[in-house]
């Protein structure tokens, strides 16, 4: 639904209910539970700033403040041109790269307010943006939703995203000869 309509639309709910033999109320119950399901037309790019504890103290709160000011919108709001829907996001298990921002669920690691504003500028001015790991270019919200629904995007297995910060603990454990106790 989101890859076609850009949100979980009333028509989409009716279509989904009919297709999988559920009531519209049952489909709506799922759609209202997960924040990833959008109930209003979403921006072309979903920009999420992690403001969970670790990212927040590493600069996420300030990034949020400046990005929100630049876009002129708050949490779960969309810019007037429909380009960006801004969201405070919970931890995305990328704390080793804090503070983290996400654009259509692609990682933008080790952000600073300036770097975050440059990404936002690029989106607002129609330039492609490239995540710090993973894919070579961030797709639109609709394109991303199609991939998340399980369809190929022709860019599978781009990168598993394991960098030095992720493996630092494992490296120390090996150097120290630590072993799992059973
Ligand atoms: S606290 Fe931000 S990714 Fe974990």
């Amino acid at each position: 639904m989101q890859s076609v309509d850009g949100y979980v639309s009333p028509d989409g709910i009716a279509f989904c209910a009919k297709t999988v033999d559920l009531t519209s109320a049952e489909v709506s119950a799922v759609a209202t539970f997960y924040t990833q399901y959008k109930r209003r037309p979403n921006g072309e790019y979903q920009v999420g700033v992690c403001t969970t504890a670790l990212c927040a103290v590493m600069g996420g709160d300030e990034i949020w403040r400046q990005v929100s000011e630049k876009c002129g919108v708050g949490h779960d709001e969309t810019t007037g041109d429909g380009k960006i829907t801004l969201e405070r996001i919970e931890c995305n298990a990328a704390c080793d790269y804090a503070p983290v921002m996400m654009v259509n669920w692609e990682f933008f690691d080790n952000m600073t307010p300036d770097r975050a504003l440059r990404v936002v500028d690029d989106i607002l001015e129609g330039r492609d943006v490239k995540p710090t790991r993973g894919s070579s270019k961030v797709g639109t919200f609709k394109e991303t939703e199609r991939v998340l629904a399980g369809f190929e995007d022709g860019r599978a297995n781009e990168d598993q995203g394991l960098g030095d910060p992720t493996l630092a603990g494992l490296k120390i454990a090996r150097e120290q000869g630590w072993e799992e106790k059973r």
Side-chain angles (χ1 to χ4, degrees):
M1 284 185 239
Q2 298 201 136
S3 72
V4 175
D5 288 345
Y7 74 116
V8 181
S9 63
D11 283 352
I13 289 174
F15 172 79
C16 185
K18 187 163 175 248
T19 305
V20 296
D21 197 21
L22 291 172
T23 65
S24 292
E26 286 170 319
V27 176
S28 295
V30 175
T32 52
F33 184 81
Y34 296 99
T35 58
Q36 288 87 353
Y37 290 133
K38 305 299 175 188
R39 305 308 308 278
R40 298 184 299 277
N42 206 70
E44 202 176 336
Y45 293 87
Q46 177 80 19
V47 172
V49 179
C50 180
T51 52
T52 302
L54 184 61
C55 281
V57 298
M58 295 289 282
D61 279 346
E62 182 59 17
I63 291 170
W64 165 263
R65 191 188 68 72
Q66 293 198 29
V67 168
S68 177
E69 189 177 289
K70 165 93 185 164
C71 294
V73 295
H75 171 71
D76 202 24
E77 292 178 352
T78 302
T79 54
D81 60 1
K83 280 277 186 196
I84 290 178
T85 296
L86 188 60
E87 187 180 26
R88 286 178 181 272
I89 53 171
E90 300 294 330
C91 177
N92 265 263
C95 318
D96 37 358
Y97 295 96
V100 166
M101 188 167 94
M102 302 197 83
V103 180
N104 290 343
W105 308 114
E106 299 282 4
F107 287 107
F108 287 74
D109 303 320
N110 302 314
M111 296 306 278
T112 63
D114 282 351
R115 291 181 60 204
L117 291 176
R118 272 202 298 278
V119 171
V120 167
D121 261 337
D122 285 344
I123 293 172
L124 292 175
E125 288 171 23
R127 292 188 287 270
D128 287 344
V129 288
K130 183 179 178 329
T132 46
R133 55 194 154 115
S135 64
S136 53
K137 166 187 149 181
V138 176
T140 64
F141 180 75
K142 288 183 179 179
E143 288 168 346
T144 303
E145 291 303 303
R146 194 168 188 284
V147 176
L148 292 176
F151 295 97
E152 275 283 348
D153 68 346
R155 297 181 302 180
N157 304 321
E158 290 162 318
D159 178 10
Q160 54 181 330
L162 285 179
D164 289 343
T166 309
L167 299 172
L170 181 64
K171 182 166 172 267
I172 291 170
R174 283 185 176 149
E175 284 168 1
Q176 301 294 321
W178 296 339
E179 287 178 15
E180 184 183 358
K181 288 212 166 44
R182 293 180 189 269

